[in-house]
DNA sequence: TTTCAATACGTCAAAATAACACAATAATAT
DNA sequence: ATATTATTGTGTTATTTTGACGTATTGAAA
C-alpha cells in the first residue's frame, strides 16, 4: 500500500504551529585554549545536559529553524551550519527515563513517543558567543569535547556523528574561517586542525600544506606578548576561501 | 519560546499510522550500457514521472522505511542505501500544480501543504532489479541520468544533489560492489567511474589507482566474445572492500 | 648576556600522479 | 591464412606531493 508525498491522513496536523514528531539538534562547536568545545544546556533543577535544538515551525524551513535556535542560544546571526545526518530510529533513547528526569518541567503525557531528529553541526567563533539558556534550562555552557558528561537523549551519539562529519569535511573543504577570529597565527590554525583530527601534525608540513591551498594571507603584523618567537598573523582571503568551499578538493583520480 | 524534543502539541498525530509531514525520496541508481540510470515512476493516466518514495510508518525507522519502499519497487533486499540530504524548505515546489496534475488520482484536499523529505540514494545492480510500479503509478522504468524529463515535485533537484553526494563519496570510499555484477572487467569498472564522475579517465592510471586500493581480485577467467583483446575478470574482495568502506581514504595531511 | 622552546624556513628521499609509449590480443576483413 | 584494427594490459618518465627531518631565528625569562 504505497503512500505518496504530501498526502494528508487525518487528523490534519498542520493545524498546529509546529511540524509534529520532527526536531533538530545542533552540535555547536567552538575552539578555545587549544580545545574543541561544544555548547550544552543544563535542564532546570537537574544536572542533566543536552544539545540545543527543538521543533520546526510550519512557517520556517528546517535550516531557518536551526538558524533561529542558534541565534537564541548564541546571539549570533550568520552561523556556519551543516546538516549532516538524520536520526530516525523508532527508539532512539530511553524515553521513560527522560520523562522521569524532567517531569518537574514537562508533563510526561506531553512527550511524543517518537521524534525524528535532523542533526546539524555549527562552527562558531568562541569569543563571539553569548551562551543563553532557554525556558527549560538555566545554564548554557561550553564543554570540552574530550570531557563530556553523559547527555540526555541520544546526544552523545549525535555529537560523535557530528565530529565524524566534520573530520570528513576537513579533507576536501577548508575549515577555520568560522572557528577562528579574524586574525590568527599558523600555530593556532594548526592546533585547531589537531583538535578536530585528534592527532598531532608536523608544523612544517602543515604550514606547507595549508599555504598551498592559497586561501591564507600573511600580515606584516605579528602576535606579540607570548614567550619565544612572535608568530606572524594570518587571515583568510574570503573570496578564495569561498571558492575553495565551493569547488572542494576532491580527486580520486 | 524554546520548545523541546519529543514534546507533543495537540492534536496528537501519533494516533495515525504514519509520521505526518515527513516523507523520503530515493534516487535509485543503476549502471547499464555504460550509462548511469535512475529508477522513475510514471503516474497513472499521465506522462508525469517522479522518484520512488513515501511516508514513514510509526513502527519503522526512517532507514527501514527506505528499505521497505525499495524492496517494493525493485524486489531487492540488502540494498546499499545512503542518506544524503534533508529537503526542508517550506515551499519546495508548486503544490497547486501537483494537485491539478494528479487530481484524478488523489483528492487535492488530502495533500499536506508542506512535507519535509529525507533524501536517499541507493546503488543497485541493474540486472537484478525488477521494476514494479505502485498503487498510483503504472510504470516503473530506468532513465538515463543524462536524459531526464522534468519531474514532479523537486525531484530533479534531489537527483542532482544525490549525484553530487555520490561523487563526493567516490573520493574516499570505494564504489562499485553494489552497482556491478559479481564479476566484471577493469574497463567496465572504469566506465562506471567515468559515468559517475562524468569525465573520461586514463585507463592506465585508473588501473594502477584502483588496484592500489587492494580491494580487487583478478580471476584467471577472461571475458570472451567481445571484439579485440579479452579483458580479465575481477571481483571485489568483500572483506577488504568493507574495510575500505569503514576506514575511508581521507588524508588532508 | 645567556638560555630556551616555539616559530620560520629549508632539505631530501620516497611515494603518488599525470601524461604518454608500446606490446598483446582476438574478432573481423581481406 | 593473413592482415587489420581497436581494445586491453603493462611499462616509462617527468613532475608533483608527501613524510620525515635539520637548522636558523626570535624574544621573553633566567
Amino acid at each position: 500500500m504505497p503512500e505518496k508525498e504530501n498526502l494528508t491522513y487525518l487528523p490534519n496536523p498542520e493545524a498546529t504551529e509546529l511540524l509534529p514528531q520532527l526536531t533538530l539538534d545542533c552540535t555547536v562547536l567552538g575552539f578555545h585554549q587549544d580545545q574543541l568545545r561544544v555548547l550544552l544546556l543544563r535542564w532546570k533543577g537537574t544536572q542533566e545536559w543536552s544539545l540545543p535544538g527543538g521543533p520546526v515551525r510550519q512557517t520556517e524551513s528546517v535550516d531557518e529553524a536551526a538558524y533561529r535556535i542558534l541565534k537564541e542560544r548564541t546571539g549570533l546571526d550568520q552561523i556556519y551550519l551543516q546538516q549532516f545526518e538524520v536520526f530516525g530510529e523508532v527508539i532512539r533513547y530511553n524515553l521513560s527515563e527522560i520523562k522521569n528526569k524532567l517531569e518537574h518541567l514537562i508533563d510526561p503525557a506531553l512527550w511524543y513517543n517518537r521524534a525524528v531528529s535532523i542533526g546539524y553541526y555549527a562552527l562558531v567563533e568562541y569569543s563571539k558567543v553569548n551562551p543563553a539558556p532557554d525556558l527549560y534550562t538555566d545554564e548554557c555552557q561550553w564543554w570540552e569535547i574530550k570531557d563530556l558528561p553523559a547527555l540526555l537523549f541520544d546526544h552523545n551519539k549525535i555529537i560523535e556523528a557530528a565530529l565524524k562529519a566534520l573530520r570528513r569535511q576537513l579533507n576536501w573543504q577548508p575549515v577555520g574561517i568560522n572557528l577562528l577570529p579574524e586574525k590568527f597565527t599558523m600555530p593556532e590554525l594548526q592546533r585547531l586542525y589537531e583538535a578536530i583530527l585528534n592527532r598531532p601534525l608536523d608544523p612544517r608540513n602543515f604550514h606547507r600544506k595549508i599555504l598551498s591551498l592559497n586561501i591564507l594571507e600573511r600580515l606584516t603584523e605579528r602576535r606579540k606578548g607570548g614567550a619565544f618567537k612572535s608568530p606572524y598573523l594570518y587571515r583568510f582571503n574570503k573570496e578564495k576561501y569561498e571558492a575553495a568551499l565551493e569547488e572542494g578538493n576532491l580527486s580520486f583520480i
Side-chain angles (χ1 to χ4, degrees), chain A residues 75-143:
Chain A
L76 297 182
D77 288 316
Q78 305 236 318
I79 282 180
Y80 177 86
L81 255 184
Q82 191 72 44
Q83 193 269 301
F84 68 94
E85 191 174 331
V86 173
F87 298 87
E89 298 302 307
V90 177
I91 297 175
R92 287 168 48 206
Y93 41 81
N94 188 332
L95 180 55
S96 46
E97 190 183 311
I98 299 280
K99 286 181 178 177
N100 285 338
K101 285 181 174 174
L102 304 181
E103 67 179 342
H104 62 294
L105 293 171
I106 295 169
D107 178 355
L110 291 181
W111 292 92
Y112 286 127
N113 280 317
R114 179 187 178 188
V116 170
S117 176
I118 299 174
Y120 283 84
Y121 65 85
L123 306 181
V124 301
E125 194 182 321
Y126 178 88
S127 65
K128 288 198 175 160
V129 172
N130 245 306
D134 62 28
L135 201 65
Y136 296 99
T137 58
D138 49 22
E139 205 172 352
C140 182
Q141 208 176 76
W142 290 106
W143 284 73

Side-chain angles (χ1 to χ4, degrees), chain A residues 53-72:
Chain A
V56 179
R57 297 179 183 158
Q58 296 284 359
T59 54
E60 68 190 356
S61 72
V62 178
D63 283 354
E64 284 163 0
Y67 283 116
R68 169 179 55 77
I69 289 166
L70 289 184
K71 167 84 174 176
E72 289 168 357

Side-chain angles (χ1 to χ4, degrees), chain A residues 173-187:
Chain A
Q173 283 183 322
V175 164
I177 206 172
N178 314 287
L179 285 162
L180 292 174
E182 168 84 12
K183 299 174 182 179
F184 53 88
T185 68
M186 192 58 79

